Amino acid sequence: MVGVGFLGLGVMGQPMAVNLARHLAGRTPLTVWNRTAARCEAAREAGARIAGTPGEVLRDSDVVFVMLADGAAMDAVLARGTDAFAGQVAGRTIVHMGTTSPGYSRALEAEVLAAGGRYVEAPVSGSRGPAQDGQLVAMLAGDAQSVDTVRPLLAPMCRDAVDCGPVPDALLTKLSVNLFLITMVTGLTEAFHFADRHGLDRDRFLAVLDAGPMASAVSRAKAPKLRDRDFAVQAAALDVLKNNRLIAEAARDARLASPLLDVCHALFDETVGLGHGGGDMVAVLHAIEARTERAGTAG
């Protein structure tokens, strides 16, 4: 292997790249790039080399992880739609780790393969905490040879990697998982709001929740944030809204009902509208509180 690349060191990508850099240090060079170069510094300290452009990462790597916000950002860094695209992806394995629509991924795969490259979907389940701890869960889709090439490189970032079949089944699996996550955290937030506004002791409520059958890694991470009104980002409300939209679009395309998701969609849209898009997803509490205030005024 000539080298490994990582494009996109945001909330999730930065700790993932750091863990990968530590794993590869002294054996295989890791080259990283981010639009804001300062985000690469922790990866550099872990052994990575910082590139000046995405093209430099692609030139020096034969497996390139791409962890970017959306399809437009991916198109920009891969130079998709330009004459440079084919030369940048030919002979390389492009690993799509972000969350886009399944249709986008299917089309990108076709173009990468046509240019002589290889393509693997590897979206992950988990937020910044699990990313820092190397405890994400990856969902893999693509041809068996390409998936086998990528799997060992996921080990320092993910505690598990599950084969999901052909593209875009990894992304469809991720959207299914996110549907559960979004509705679960929104339900937890509404339950906390209900208990809090009835004057219940916050710590006692959390203790009962944690001792009961509904306790989970998610509730143990999010309930204390609600208690403390800690909206520091682990998974941003704006990103949750984006995911919600992608799931809703996939549901409509398949003519599926998504009643719980639709309620969450409205609440996260209100959360972002209230100016809390940069906060953690438990910031949906602000939208629920705003509805309570409106209901009280109307009463």
Side-chain angles (χ1 to χ4, degrees):
M1 182 175 291
V2 175
V4 179
F6 204 107
L7 297 168
L9 280 71
V11 170
M12 294 288 289
Q14 184 191 55
M16 293 167 69
V18 168
N19 286 335
L20 183 58
R22 289 172 180 158
H23 176 73
L24 295 175
R27 296 184 294 133
T28 302
L30 175 67
T31 307
V32 302
W33 175 88
N34 191 69
R35 192 176 304 277
T36 303
R39 298 284 302 173
C40 298
E41 189 58 29
R44 185 193 64 77
E45 292 175 357
R49 183 177 71 85
I50 303 174
T53 65
E56 187 179 340
V57 175
L58 288 156
R59 183 196 68 203
D60 294 343
S61 311
D62 44 17
V63 175
V64 181
F65 292 95
V66 187
M67 188 60 166
L68 293 167
D70 52 32
M74 287 190 67
D75 289 347
V77 301
L78 296 176
R80 189 176 177 208
T82 75
D83 293 339
F85 174 78
Q88 293 202 139
V89 303
R92 292 160 181 82
T93 300
I94 305 300
V95 187
H96 175 15
M97 301 197 79
T99 307
T100 62
S101 73
Y104 171 87
S105 184
R106 188 186 292 113
L108 179 58
E109 178 196 35
E111 292 187 28
V112 170
L113 295 180
R118 293 169 296 278
Y119 184 84
V120 174
E121 280 183 349
V124 293
S125 180
S127 58
R128 183 171 176 83
Q132 291 172 327
D133 297 337
Q135 293 295 302
L136 297 168
V137 176
M139 290 144 276
L140 296 169
D143 71 85
Q145 183 178 356
S146 297
V147 166
D148 287 345
T149 297
V150 169
R151 186 187 300 279
L153 294 169
L154 293 171
M157 299 182 279
C158 304
R159 63 177 173 81
D160 203 358
V162 180
D163 286 326
C164 296
V167 173
D169 284 2
L171 270 168
L172 285 168
T173 303
K174 170 69 185 290
L175 295 183
S176 301
V177 169
N178 279 4
L179 196 160
F180 179 43
L181 173 66
I182 292 167
T183 55
M184 178 170 58
V185 173
T186 305
L188 171 65
T189 304
E190 185 173 332
F192 174 83
H193 177 69
F194 179 87
D196 192 46
R197 291 303 176 98
H198 276 86
L200 301 182
D201 182 272
R202 294 180 175 185
D203 288 325
R204 188 174 295 120
F205 170 69
L206 264 64
V208 172
L209 176 65
D210 196 43
M214 287 81 71
S216 67
V218 171
S219 69
R220 290 177 179 133
K222 298 302 184 184
K225 290 176 74 65
L226 288 163
R227 177 195 60 201
D228 301 336
R229 297 187 73 84
D230 170 17
F231 302 112
V233 66
Q234 292 176 333
L238 184 61
D239 290 334
V240 173
L241 178 59
K242 182 198 79 169
N243 275 264
N244 207 314
R245 287 172 176 156
L246 290 172
I247 301 165
E249 289 168 4
R252 298 298 88 81
D253 288 345
R255 299 186 179 181
L256 301 176
S258 54
L260 292 178
L261 180 76
D262 295 344
V263 171
C264 295
H265 197 162
L267 285 167
F268 276 95
D269 193 42
E270 292 166 25
T271 302
V272 172
L274 289 167
H276 302 290
D280 189 72
M281 66 187 300
V282 296
V284 72
L285 178 64
H286 293 294
I288 296 171
E289 288 175 338
R291 288 197 184 195
T292 290
E293 299 309 319
R294 290 197 297 271
T297 303

